[in-house]
Amino acid sequence: MKIGVLTGGGDCPGLNAVIRAVVRKSLQNGHEVIGIREGWRGILEKNFMKLDRDSISGILHRGGTILGTSRTNIYKEKDGEARVKANMAENGIDAIVAIGGEDTLGIASKLSKAGVKVVGVPKTIDNDLNATDYTFGFDTAVNVATEAIDRLHTTAEAHNRVIVVEVMGRHAGWIAVHSGMAGGADMILVPEKPFNIEEVCDVLTKRHSSGKNFSIVVVSEGAKLQTDDIADKDGSFVLSSMKTDSFGHVRLGGIGNILAEEIEKRTGFETRATVLGHIQRGGSPTAFDRVLATRFGVFAAELVEKGKFGYMAALKGNEIVAVSLEQAVGELKTIDMDLYKVAETFFG
Ligand code: F6P
């Protein structure tokens, strides 16, 4: 069999570890593997690269993806699905391993229903993909954010400041909750629980009047307001741009700065904002993510070997299992509110 591998959507530490695992296992199974460059765009444009033992050597620990990535939606392209099928046939590609999040795997799911042999591997630093306990890349992002919070703690304390740390998380606050808990944040704001700016300021004021002279507030980029005093009327995302990608997502970012200004204005505490941004996605994966990515990659190669198409490798407890792509992209996995309640114990 000739197996195509692609990486789509935002990059994520551990992508190369998955590619390496898919290639090594598939070669052992007696198959040929070809890299499809820059996500689904690569199959439309017939942009391929050789993937053999040599080309995947030395990539396990490297961030980014040797295949490149894009947010191309084939269903927004003219005759997209037909071109995917035709280009697969023309290049002798029998099956595709798609490594991606809800958008990339949403396409995989539709293609699978249309008869294309495809299996999925769950990727996103946001950890919001359904049907898997964790996605790879999330642990690395949480560790980067936690280290940043630790560093911000000492400077906040030295200057008697409030520091607002904006982390990624478009629809789900997993990174905020985990890094906020690990870093001892005094307040964590997530998309799942719209916040009230007055309440946030009250908590900080009480904390400062009880003897503390600094605070750390962690906010997800997609956090929403209950009221409309500093954001869109409906309390929705604070947008940094109205531009959307081919899946209709707007570019987020900016809530940290707006929140910092409001906190300073309302409480009188000197406040600064730090936006972690793409630092959370770059660089080497943690050991946890390398192992998870490797297990996912080997499992995906085995799904292909068994002819189990239309499925995704998923982590359930400590087991890697197969879940249908349809189930994986059916809905987003938002944060566990019980976990958030634990985090709330330490607010203020
Ligand atoms: O892939 C997920 C993610 O990192 C989100 O957390 C974030 O909102 C988005 O991607 C950023 O996308 P881009 O790389 O296009 O700026």
Side-chain angles (χ1 to χ4, degrees), residues 8-12 71 101 103 123-128 167-172 175 221-222 245 249-253 277-278 280-281:
D11 74 329
C12 179
R71 295 192 194 271
D103 297 329
K123 166 245 67 160
T124 165
I125 63 161
D126 290 357
N127 196 39
D128 59 0
V167 298
M168 280 187 168
R170 207 195 280 272
H171 304 290
I175 297 177
E221 60 180 351
D245 63 23
H249 303 306
V250 287
R251 192 177 303 157
L252 300 182
H278 295 82
Q280 295 158 97
R281 280 204 338 225

